[in-house]
Every structure is written in C-alpha cells, then in structure tokens.
Amino acid sequence: MHKQPLESELLEMLTKVSRKIRTAFNQQVTSHGLTYPRARALFRLAKKQNMNQSELAYELELEPATLVRLLDRMEEHGLIERRVDPADRRVKLIALTPHGEEQAALVRAIADRVRDQIFEGTDIKELQVALALFERIAANISDLEDIDVFA
C-alpha cells in the first residue's frame, strides 16, 4: 500500500478529531455559562498568573484587538483584573480574581473529564507512539514554515 493515501487520511482525521474535541469541550463549558474563548483564557491564566496581554494573545493565538474585547468581558464578569506592570507602567498584567480562580478550577475539572473520556480504552504505549508521531509532524511543519518558497 502506498503511504500517501494514509497520510491524507491521517491529516483528514486529525482535522476531524480536533474539531470534535473543540466541540465537545465547548458544549461542556457553555453548559456552565462560559464561552470557549473565555474558558481557554481562564485555563492559560491559571497556569501562569500575571501574564501581559501580548503573552496571552500569543498563547491563545488571538489578535490583540480580539483579546482586548475578550478581557473586557472577563473583567466585566469579575473573572480578571488588569494591573500595571511595576517594570513597565505601559504594560498591563492580567490576574485572576478569586471568582476567576473558581471558574478556572471548573474549566480544569471539565478538561480533565473530557480528556478522560477521549482517551478511554487507550494504553500508555499507544499514547507514546501517537505523541512521538505528532512531535515529528510538528517539527516537519516548523521546517516547512522556515522555507522561503520565493528564494
């Protein structure tokens, strides 16, 4: 059997699975009154408090203007507060409020439950092989991004 049809099928499956994971997670967080972007931001901020807006935009792969609107809503809902960076007064650091920390813990619990369901019936060896494959694919994509096609 040729490799190319399998590669195409794998890429199609990756796209489909990625979309299904996002949909499942989104359904779970929206049932708790959160939006998908807000849940992702809470998740990231729980991992690293006091990120500046540029760092968070990069982490979430959002345009700065989109992130500002998201943060405005999160601040209105009492989930975050923006603080001046003592090292640079022009920079705002984003911190979770106590309510934001509670909501981040809820997001973490939802993510844990969804992940457990997604990987039901898999064993550690399968996960290790899949992870190694995805790491190789990611490295190949990075190499591809570094190629100047117009050179």
Side-chain angles (χ1 to χ4, degrees), residues 14-90:
L14 275 174
T15 302
K16 196 179 296 185
V17 167
S18 177
R19 197 170 30 248
K20 285 183 173 209
I21 290 169
R22 179 181 171 147
T23 299
F25 183 72
N26 187 45
Q27 286 174 341
Q28 293 296 312
V29 296
T30 55
S31 73
H32 288 88
L34 291 167
T35 65
Y36 180 76
R38 202 174 292 166
R40 287 187 64 225
L42 286 167
F43 191 79
R44 291 286 179 212
L45 289 167
K47 283 187 166 190
K48 183 181 177 194
Q49 281 272 13
N50 294 313
M51 240 189 274
N52 68 41
Q53 290 182 188
S54 297
E55 290 173 312
L56 186 58
Y58 177 79
E59 289 277 326
L60 297 175
E61 299 176 341
L62 293 175
E63 292 296 320
T66 303
L67 178 70
V68 167
R69 288 190 301 273
L70 173 63
L71 294 177
D72 287 346
R73 299 294 89 68
M74 291 178 73
E75 198 168 34
E76 288 170 11
H77 286 88
L79 298 169
I80 62 150
E81 56 187 29
R82 294 172 172 130
R83 301 176 181 159
V84 174
D85 184 345
D88 184 346
R89 297 187 53 74
R90 297 168 297 173

Side-chain angles (χ1 to χ4, degrees), residues 72-136:
D72 287 346
R73 299 294 89 68
M74 291 178 73
E75 198 168 34
E76 288 170 11
H77 286 88
L79 298 169
I80 62 150
E81 56 187 29
R82 294 172 172 130
R83 301 176 181 159
V84 174
D85 184 345
D88 184 346
R89 297 187 53 74
R90 297 168 297 173
V91 175
K92 299 286 188 199
L93 301 178
I94 306 155
L96 291 175
T97 63
H99 177 56
E101 288 176 7
E102 288 171 12
Q103 292 296 292
L106 172 64
V107 170
R108 165 57 73 194
I110 291 169
D112 289 346
R113 191 174 63 243
V114 168
R115 186 182 55 250
D116 288 347
Q117 175 114 20
I118 288 169
F119 291 107
E120 178 75 30
T122 60
D123 66 39
I124 195 160
K125 202 70 173 150
E126 290 173 307
L127 295 173
Q128 289 168 334
V129 168
L131 186 58
L133 175 62
F134 293 142
E135 286 170 347
R136 186 173 319 125

